[in-house]
């Protein structure tokens, strides 16, 4: 499958650009039910799976995440935070802030957070974060509507949706967006973990 608009998320497009430990090891799949299911329990912290399409993508409270193939950033990151269990819910907000910060830095947009896990632009949902704790780890899923045309945005949803393309009028390099997100997320995550010690 070829995605000329917005670039590829292949290992060749992403790995040479990584600036930290997040995203290593890296795995890219064309299609999966959900990237949340593709990280092995014993995978190292920082392991990441990205997909061009999720057929059963979901958000918080089991809500579906809908996006045409090759238009969004859909990924899951393995984390092993050494923090008290009662602090784990904070990780969703840490990640949502990293998403908002990344979008602002790359596009000039001013995203807002809808606690605890949605990133909005102009009141419309741009991105969502899903952190699931299990088996001594946290699988952090992120979905960002990147190059979804206005006409392709989901209509039958609880909150109107938007995309970076709809908001800026231009396509965004998905690999560059992922690399920037991982760097900012790693910095925020490390600060959050160190604050628990």
């Amino acid at each position: 499958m070829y995605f000329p608009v917005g670039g590829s998320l292949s290992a060749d497009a992403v790995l040479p650009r990584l600036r930290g430990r997040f995203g290593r090891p890296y795995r890219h799949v064309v299609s999966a039910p959900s990237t949340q299911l593709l990280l092995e329990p014993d995978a190292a912290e920082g392991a990441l799976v990205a997909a061009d399409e999720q057929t059963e993508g979901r958000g918080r409270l089991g809500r579906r995440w809908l996006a045409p193939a090759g238009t969004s950033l859909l990924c899951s990151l393995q984390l092993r935070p050494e923090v008290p269990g009662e602090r784990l819910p904070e990780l969703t907000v840490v990640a949502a802030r990293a998403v908002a910060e990344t979008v602002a830095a790359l596009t000039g947009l001013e995203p807002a957070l809808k606690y605890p896990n949605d990133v909005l632009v102009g009141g419309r949902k741009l991105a969502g974060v899903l952190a699931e704790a299990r088996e001594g780890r946290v699988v952090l899923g992120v979905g960002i509507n990147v190059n979804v045309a206005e006409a392709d945005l989901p209509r039958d949803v609880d909150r109107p949706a938007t995309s970076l393309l709809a908001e800026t009028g231009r396509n965004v390099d998905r690999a560059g967006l992922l690399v920037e997100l991982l760097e900012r997320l790693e910095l925020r995550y490390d600060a959050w973990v160190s604050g628990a010690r």
Side-chain angles (χ1 to χ4, degrees):
M1 195 174 282
Y2 175 63
F3 302 113
V5 175
S8 168
L9 291 176
S10 71
D12 289 344
V14 173
L15 282 173
R17 298 162 74 178
L18 290 177
R19 301 186 286 260
R21 69 185 193 283
F22 281 9
R24 304 172 199 272
Y26 179 83
R27 180 179 171 202
H28 170 253
V29 296
V30 172
S31 182
S34 170
T35 57
Q36 292 288 94
L37 306 174
L38 298 181
L39 285 167
E40 297 295 327
D42 61 348
E45 179 167 85
L48 185 126
V49 177
D52 290 314
E53 176 186 42
Q54 288 186 136
T55 57
E56 298 171 23
R58 60 193 166 80
R60 194 168 159 266
L61 305 177
R63 295 185 179 110
R64 292 199 60 209
W65 182 272
L66 306 168
T71 62
S72 297
L73 179 57
L74 308 165
C75 61
S76 291
L77 177 70
Q78 181 98 304
L79 298 172
R80 299 185 180 281
E82 294 183 13
V83 300
E86 62 269 15
R87 288 201 62 212
L88 289 178
E90 299 169 13
L91 189 50
T92 298
V93 179
V94 170
R97 285 186 177 138
V99 170
E101 184 179 88
T102 300
V103 167
L106 293 183
T107 67
L109 296 171
E110 296 181 6
L113 298 187
K114 179 182 175 289
Y115 186 84
N117 69 316
D118 289 341
V119 178
L120 312 179
V121 173
R124 303 197 307 165
K125 184 170 178 176
L126 174 72
V129 174
L130 178 65
E132 295 182 310
R134 57 179 179 245
E135 302 158 335
R137 63 190 174 126
V138 176
V139 179
L140 179 69
V142 175
I144 305 174
N145 292 327
V146 183
N147 298 317
V148 185
E150 185 82 40
D152 293 331
L153 289 165
R155 301 279 179 239
D156 187 23
V157 290
D158 60 326
R159 175 177 292 277
T162 191
S163 70
L164 295 179
L165 173 60
E167 296 296 329
T168 67
R170 65 182 190 275
N171 288 298
V172 173
D173 173 26
R174 293 184 302 147
L177 180 67
L178 175 58
V179 167
E180 186 75 17
L181 172 61
L182 290 176
E183 181 176 37
R184 291 174 182 272
L185 180 57
E186 186 173 322
L187 288 170
R188 283 191 167 271
Y189 172 79
D190 287 349
W192 173 72
V193 170
S194 66
R197 293 188 178 132

